[in-house]
Amino acid sequence: MPRQLNIFIENRPGRLKSVTEILSQGNINIIAFTIQDRGDFGVMKLLVDKPDVAHLALADKGFACVLKDILVVSIQDKPGNLNKLASLLLKHNINIIDTHGFVIEPGNRGICCIESAGAENANITKILEKEGFEVLGDKEISEL
Amino acid sequence: MIWNEEMECMGSEDLKNIQSERLRQIVDYVYNNCQAYKNKLNACGISPRKIKTICDINKLPFTTKEDLRDAYPFGLFSTASKNITEIHVSSGTTGNPTVVGYTKEDLELWSEVMARVLALSGAEPKDKIQIAYGYGLFTGGLGFHYGSLKMGLTIIPASSGQTKRQLKMMHDFKPRILACTPSYCLYMAEEAREMKLDLKKSSWEIGIFGAEPWSESMRKEIESTWDMLATDVYGLSEIIGPGVAQECQHKKGLHIFSDVFYPEVINPKTAKPVRDGEDGELVITTLTKQGLALLRYRTRDIVSIKYQRCRCGRTSPRISKIRGRTDDMIIIRGINVFPSQIEHVLLGIEGTKPHYQLVVDRKAGELDELEVLVEVEEKIFSDEVKALRNLEEKIRKEIESTLGIFVKVKLVEPRFIERSEGKAKRVIDKRII
């Protein structure tokens, strides 16, 4: 099951660099990231090739960070496809806590990362796969 | 005017005799009426018979804030709680607050010393006083109220806050005396400017300011802003509340009412007396109190003391402005705050000992602000931004309901708070006072 690394960082100069420096020293590849800004602080969410190594390296330097199970869904980069995914989740009454996406091959393939609430990720995977979505595992992600 | 000329201008020999007589009585009284004191004196091998004159006071053991805490709520009272007329409460160092109780006689004493305070400041009977100290469990409001009743002033019991209303009352009712914290007085000036009031034409001629540390430069600012005389009042609820000492119009030290509150100044480390004029911890014995009578109570306030007669004619010793504290207590908007209280609240929320720091600031023309920095550690880190916001809000509400003051909570990264020799610095006081 893919995991996303979530890190608490203060909103002041140099804090992002202190995270990226540690990741760079650990030779960790960032596949995707997003930062939620809440004024004095933010939460940085990272999809990386070696989540356990990255987590240990950051925790070792004193960062407050956790690994969280997420769903990584491959979607065709065509109009209406995110809507199709969202409708499917609605149909099964699955709430999304947070999500972010990126295009990996323009016009062909995009990736959507989903943190869900209430339902088991394994169950959601089944639902999505049944409707033709490709849900990625650790190996596929590290090869993105 | 001098409220009690007989006591306040008494020659030193006569005063010593009265102090000696009262000390004998109070030691005898607490020994026979308060089990905790009986045990304490027995443990030191002191029998009340050994106390003959005021010079014997150094044979007595000290009383500390911890003694009050251990005796919570009424264990140090020298009378049954049914004989207590009024109870006040201030902050304790952890968990339990400090509880003080007044008998009818104690309230009479409080009225008497507060009348002396008012007279020292320059108030005359028939003056109007605006009391903008908080009424309630805090001793400030009611202490001034009782003294004003005793002196025969017209009282405006405004209590604290509602600044626009305060200024309107000042403008419409024309009180000559203002009693509040010095920072609130300056805060009101800002508000008054916004309301386009002419500050120099305010009715206030005399201010009686206390309940928080303030400096000579703040005094100058208040006096020039409002064109009024700014005097300093000192007190603490354990002793009586406001009414322990007060400046006269010469502003050369605070006259302490040593016929009822006997002062000593000691080296806080060695507990030996310092020389006259040297800084040390103020220790007070309540010579006549009935409810909560305290022997050699360590105030943790740093002052110096001098015994020369003042130009105003009073012979009472004078203490300096408070120069600091022997502990880490901070005073914010007149309310005592111990870092340990904040720690207690945080422990209650997280079930784990968090790292925190208090930052106190006072921007020009504004009231004190307390910011609580809490390190977000793995244990309390929730990856949801919403949950972090909820955590901030919860900490803020808990602290506000426990301490009764408004705080700002800021979550910071682990190890943000500087630690020296393993011990974190808990308080950063940025106030320029």
Side-chain angles (χ1 to χ4, degrees):
Chain A
M1 179 67 66
R3 285 161 305 159
Q4 181 171 268
L5 184 57
N6 294 359
I7 312 158
F8 177 91
I9 44 177
E10 284 166 40
N11 188 1
R12 59 188 166 92
R15 297 318 295 155
L16 178 60
K17 182 186 173 282
S18 64
V19 171
T20 53
E21 196 165 32
I22 293 164
L23 296 177
S24 143
Q25 281 161 2
N27 199 27
I28 286 152
N29 190 35
I30 298 169
I31 298 156
F33 74 92
T34 166
I35 296 179
Q36 297 186 323
D37 164 46
R38 290 306 295 252
D40 287 339
F41 66 84
V43 174
M44 184 177 191
K45 304 189 171 187
L46 287 158
L47 195 60
V48 297
D49 60 345
K50 292 171 281 188
D52 286 307
V53 179
H55 179 231
L56 278 178
L58 285 163
D60 196 44
K61 297 278 183 204
F63 277 91
C65 49
V66 292
L67 285 171
K68 178 135 190 186
D69 287 344
I70 54 161
L71 287 163
V72 179
V73 187
S74 176
I75 312 179
Q76 257 207 317
D77 183 16
K78 293 274 155 36
N81 273 341
L82 181 58
N83 182 48
K84 193 179 153 202
L85 176 65
S87 308
L88 185 56
L89 293 173
L90 171 65
K91 192 175 148 200
H92 293 271
N93 199 28
I94 296 161
N95 189 38
I96 299 166
I97 293 173
D98 190 28
T99 182
H100 59 98
F102 54 98
V103 172
I104 202 150
E105 294 162 37
N108 188 20
R109 191 182 184 208
I111 300 287
C112 183
C113 304
I114 301 168
E115 285 179 50
S116 68
E120 291 282 329
N121 279 345
N123 290 342
I124 305 173
T125 304
K126 274 184 206 149
I127 293 164
L128 295 176
E129 283 178 339
K130 214 173 133 191
E131 296 291 329
F133 286 103
E134 187 191 355
V135 181
L136 305 185
D138 287 328
K139 193 164 173 292
E140 288 106 325
I141 291 166
S142 66
E143 284 164 0
L144 281 174
Chain B
M1 72 179 291
I2 295 175
W3 180 255
N4 188 335
E5 202 162 337
E6 188 194 345
M7 281 300 175
E8 295 179 77
C9 303
M10 187 176 277
S12 63
E13 277 309 304
D14 288 344
L15 185 61
K16 263 201 175 123
N17 289 337
I18 284 183
Q19 289 167 336
S20 295
E21 173 61 28
R22 287 179 172 175
L23 182 67
R24 280 198 296 276
Q25 282 172 3
I26 201 73
V27 172
D28 201 54
Y29 175 73
V30 299
Y31 188 84
N32 290 309
N33 292 286
C34 175
Q35 191 60 44
Y37 262 124
K38 187 170 208 161
N39 297 344
K40 201 176 175 75
L41 291 168
N42 283 342
C44 305
I46 303 286
S47 138
R49 285 197 311 276
K50 284 190 182 162
I51 306 301
K52 294 191 170 68
T53 76
I54 194 70
C55 302
D56 294 324
I57 197 165
N58 57 19
K59 292 177 181 157
L60 295 169
F62 292 107
T63 307
T64 62
K65 189 124 183 147
E66 285 71 34
D67 291 327
L68 282 169
R69 184 193 62 198
D70 295 344
Y72 178 87
F74 306 140
L76 269 186
F77 288 12
S78 286
T79 187
S81 59
K82 64 176 181 193
N83 299 326
I84 296 292
T85 304
E86 192 167 309
I87 286 172
H88 283 267
V89 177
S90 70
S91 346
T93 46
T94 50
N96 286 332
T98 300
V99 180
V100 299
Y102 303 72
T103 63
K104 271 215 160 58
E105 294 80 5
D106 294 337
L107 288 180
E108 179 47 42
L109 169 69
W110 200 7
S111 307
E112 156 73 21
V113 289
M114 281 309 298
R116 292 188 198 178
V117 162
L118 292 163
L120 271 154
S121 77
E124 300 280 344
K126 313 277 183 220
D127 276 343
K128 279 193 203 79
I129 183 169
Q130 184 164 355
I131 302 174
Y133 284 110
Y135 277 65
L137 291 173
F138 174 55
T139 52
L142 283 168
F144 272 87
H145 195 91
Y146 295 144
S148 304
L149 276 178
K150 177 93 179 168
M151 193 182 216
L153 304 185
T154 304
I155 301 169
I156 306 169
S159 198
S160 51
Q162 302 216 43
T163 308
K164 281 195 172 68
R165 195 180 69 175
Q166 299 273 5
L167 290 164
K168 184 169 165 55
M169 286 191 288
M170 181 272 283
H171 184 263
D172 297 349
F173 304 163
K174 310 235 174 318
R176 183 173 170 243
I177 322 284
L178 169 67
C180 65
T181 61
S183 54
Y184 189 57
C185 180
L186 283 178
Y187 180 76
M188 284 198 286
E190 291 292 311
E191 192 82 36
R193 283 189 195 104
E194 275 178 28
M195 289 165 67
K196 310 262 185 267
L197 292 179
D198 186 349
L199 277 64
K200 301 272 182 200
K201 283 189 184 152
S202 92
S203 69
W204 297 323
E205 290 173 25
I206 296 168
I208 309 176
F209 303 117
E212 67 182 17
W214 58 305
S215 61
E216 283 305 323
S217 62
M218 213 167 149
R219 188 203 307 269
K220 282 200 189 95
E221 195 181 340
I222 291 173
E223 293 192 330
S224 64
T225 302
W226 287 106
D227 195 16
M228 73 196 291
L229 174 79
T231 67
D232 193 3
V233 61
Y234 173 72
L236 59 164
S237 62
E238 296 93 311
I239 299 304
I240 198 137
V244 175
Q246 162 72 27
E247 282 177 334
C248 67
Q249 296 199 304
H250 298 291
K251 299 182 282 190
K252 297 276 188 231
L254 289 77
H255 291 265
I256 182 161
F257 309 126
S258 65
D259 57 313
V260 286
F261 306 129
Y262 186 78
E264 299 169 81
V265 180
I266 64 167
N267 178 322
K269 290 207 175 76
T270 65
K272 297 270 181 280
V274 299
R275 273 178 298 196
D276 289 356
E278 270 180 27
D279 282 358
E281 181 181 349
L282 180 63
V283 173
I284 297 175
T285 300
T286 64
L287 293 175
T288 60
K289 268 177 78 189
Q290 303 289 300
L292 181 64
L294 295 176
L295 302 180
R296 306 190 83 197
Y297 183 71
R298 296 187 63 156
T299 65
R300 302 187 187 186
D301 286 320
I302 303 288
V303 300
S304 63
I305 194 165
K306 55 185 174 190
Y307 290 89
Q308 293 90 347
R309 182 192 194 94
C310 178
R311 273 192 289 161
C312 72
R314 292 174 182 86
T315 52
S316 39
R318 281 168 287 159
I319 56 171
S320 64
K321 270 186 172 296
I322 308 304
R323 299 197 212 275
R325 293 276 304 173
T326 64
D327 60 11
D328 54 6
M329 185 182 90
I330 43 178
I331 305 179
I332 296 160
R333 303 188 188 186
I335 293 170
N336 300 346
V337 176
F338 291 93
S340 51
Q341 289 177 296
I342 307 264
E343 186 167 314
H344 197 75
V345 170
L346 294 175
L347 276 168
I349 290 174
E350 299 314 323
T352 162
K353 184 167 180 162
H355 287 291
Y356 66 94
Q357 189 172 53
L358 311 182
V359 181
V360 197
D361 207 354
R362 181 187 292 165
K363 295 187 185 86
E366 284 181 33
L367 294 174
D368 293 349
E369 270 181 9
L370 177 60
E371 187 172 60
V372 182
L373 307 184
V374 183
E375 283 187 2
V376 171
E377 287 175 76
E378 198 105 347
K379 272 175 268 170
I380 62 170
F381 177 53
S382 157
D383 51 3
E384 280 178 55
V385 171
K386 190 172 66 186
L388 286 168
R389 274 290 169 223
N390 289 346
L391 176 68
E392 271 187 344
E393 193 61 13
K394 193 170 175 190
I395 295 173
R396 189 178 66 75
K397 280 194 180 137
E398 286 285 322
I399 293 174
E400 277 176 29
S401 72
T402 311
L403 277 73
I405 51 167
F406 181 80
V407 295
K408 192 180 165 213
V409 173
K410 185 175 171 182
L411 300 178
V412 296
E413 288 170 23
R415 302 184 203 191
F416 172 85
I417 293 156
E418 210 178 301
R419 292 143 171 86
S420 55
E421 293 160 8
K423 204 172 169 346
K425 193 167 168 35
R426 290 296 180 212
V427 179
I428 306 236
D429 200 336
K430 293 179 173 169
R431 288 179 292 190
I432 300 157
I433 53 171

